[in-house]
Amino acid sequence: MEKVQCLIIGSGPAGYTAAIYAARAELKPILYTGLQPGGQLTITTEVENFPGYPEGVQGPEMMEQFKQQAERFNVDIRWGIITEVDFSQRPFKAVADDGKEIMAETVIIATGASARWLGLESEQKYNGFGVSACATCDGYFFRGKDVAIVGGGDTAAEEATYLAKLCNKVYLVHRRDELRASKAMQKKVLETPNIEVLWDHVPLEILGDGKVVTGVQLKNVKTDVEKKVEIDGFFVAIGHAPNTSVFTGQLEMDNNGYLITKNDSTYTSVEGVFACGDVQDHVFRQAVTAAGSGCMSAIEAERFLSS
Ligand code: NDP
């Protein structure tokens, strides 16, 4: 059994920022990286809106720099996941996937969010065989081919333009007649000649030959007319769900599973447990806001411990 003052769960911008602040406040934090070390930014390409990088920076490179900064302050970074927690009394108990038990005076949750899926049976069947939720990870496999991407937000728009550089043709399938993406991203999509937006369409089934994807069956939601589009790759970009299943029954959550934090703070429903980044933010969801709330969590943990 290991005793610590501050356990940080998650390694995106929120987790690493919390770690840097907690370490500098001499809380000697340990940080569990989770399943995707570095978080969602490790599966993006260029980040142009994080201040301090006037020329932009690649997401994975930026997260490596976050990690190096945490290491500079001797944060104990561990590759692993927390599989069980007990927040019913302090010190709080957490169990890692290697069976290690940790007793923590404070816990900072920065587990972020993961990609949502449509929920089609064929989507599961062909996952990894033409179906993907990460264009920047898997787009390369579809060089010169035709692909479809579903969604109308910034992620879908960004990934569509990324795919357009690699692929012959990109169908952007969106269930409404206007995109949710920012105006700048919309403009990029609409001005890219090999992107065709299929407005008012939803995927009914991903078609395949039993091994790989060969097409998608779509329906126009206004006319109910169905059509088949031949593609080799199908990308899903319809938003994210918070990674909170391990905290079920321990912390208050909203209907979508996001952790609830008290106004103007990162306090959760249990005193001494703090939440920062996308796991508690379904509004802004930016790297810079996640980092900001990670800083808040560490300062609040420090004040909590010294009060
Ligand atoms: P969003 O929640 O913004 O968009 C999800 C999109 O998927 C919407 O267009 C939605 O349609 C559609 N959708 C949702 N469920 C379904 C479904 N079951 N079937 C079909 N379509 C569906 O998620 P994003 O991941 O795009 O963005 C998340 C956040 O991250 C946003 O705040 C965004 O601004 C930010 N972001 C910023 C970037 C940047 O600044 N560079 C890059 C990427 C993301 P509808 O519009 O009809 O609801």
Side-chain angles (χ1 to χ4, degrees):
M1 178 95 59
E2 184 179 14
K3 289 186 181 167
V4 297
Q5 290 193 77
C6 181
L7 166 66
I8 298 169
I9 313 175
S11 58
Y16 277 135
T17 305
I20 292 163
Y21 273 76
R24 295 187 79 252
E26 301 197 330
L27 300 187
K28 297 187 174 57
I30 62 170
L31 179 150
Y32 273 83
T33 58
L35 273 180
Q36 192 176 55
Q40 292 177 68
L41 280 171
T42 59
I43 54 166
T44 60
T45 49
E46 195 164 15
V47 180
E48 291 187 319
N49 51 12
F50 199 92
Y53 295 95
E55 305 302 328
V57 60
Q58 294 294 311
E61 187 189 337
M62 185 167 96
M63 291 322 299
E64 182 56 31
Q65 291 175 345
F66 269 72
K67 179 168 163 266
Q68 285 170 8
Q69 197 169 349
E71 282 170 341
R72 187 180 146 211
F73 298 108
N74 299 318
V75 175
D76 182 350
I77 299 169
R78 299 178 185 180
W79 307 100
I81 52 174
I82 296 296
T83 53
E84 202 185 313
V85 293
D86 180 358
F87 294 155
S88 60
Q89 56 182 19
R90 271 184 73 221
F92 306 115
K93 183 176 156 188
V95 184
D97 55 347
D98 60 1
K100 196 171 187 70
E101 286 189 9
I102 295 150
M103 300 303 285
E105 291 297 335
T106 59
V107 176
I108 294 176
I109 298 170
T111 48
S114 300
R116 271 188 203 286
W117 295 95
L118 292 164
L120 301 172
E121 209 177 292
S122 48
E123 177 187 50
Q124 271 192 354
K125 180 173 173 189
Y126 289 109
N127 195 346
F129 300 92
V131 173
S132 164
C134 178
T136 49
C137 318
D138 299 326
Y140 189 74
F141 300 120
F142 303 97
R143 293 184 316 281
K145 298 187 170 170
D146 292 353
V147 298
I149 180 162
V150 59
D154 277 318
T155 304
E158 200 172 271
E159 296 200 339
T161 51
Y162 174 80
L163 289 167
K165 289 181 199 146
L166 295 169
C167 303
N168 176 53
K169 168 112 191 183
V170 178
Y171 297 96
L172 178 61
V173 180
H174 184 39
R175 63 185 178 184
R176 291 190 294 134
D177 60 5
E178 75 180 318
L179 296 174
R180 179 180 294 279
S182 61
K183 289 280 180 284
M185 280 313 300
Q186 290 192 28
K187 192 163 177 280
K188 270 193 186 173
V189 165
L190 299 174
E191 285 176 356
T192 304
N194 60 337
I195 297 179
E196 181 180 341
V197 185
L198 299 174
W199 303 105
D200 301 312
H201 277 81
V202 291
L204 293 180
E205 196 187 347
I206 295 144
L207 308 168
D209 59 7
K211 286 186 183 155
V212 293
V213 169
T214 56
V216 59
Q217 187 73 19
L218 301 171
K219 184 173 93 169
N220 184 313
V221 289
K222 286 193 174 149
T223 61
D224 278 344
V225 173
E226 291 189 20
K227 73 170 170 188
K228 180 182 155 188
V229 177
E230 286 184 9
I231 47 161
D232 296 294
F234 182 82
F235 291 87
V236 182
I238 60 167
H240 293 82
N243 298 319
T244 52
S245 56
V246 70
F247 310 115
T248 306
Q250 305 267 343
L251 297 173
E252 273 180 25
M253 299 178 190
D254 70 11
N255 291 338
N256 296 317
Y258 285 89
L259 296 183
I260 295 175
T261 48
K262 301 207 169 109
N263 274 349
D264 301 325
S265 85
T266 64
Y267 268 81
T268 65
S269 53
V270 173
E271 281 205 4
V273 178
F274 305 88
C276 50
D278 285 12
V279 73
Q280 52 84 54
D281 172 19
H282 54 87
V283 181
F284 301 107
R285 297 182 288 194
Q286 302 299 301
V288 69
T289 49
S293 68
C295 157
M296 288 166 66
S297 278
I299 291 175
E300 288 181 320
E302 182 200 359
R303 289 184 183 162
F304 174 79
L305 285 171
S306 55
S307 65

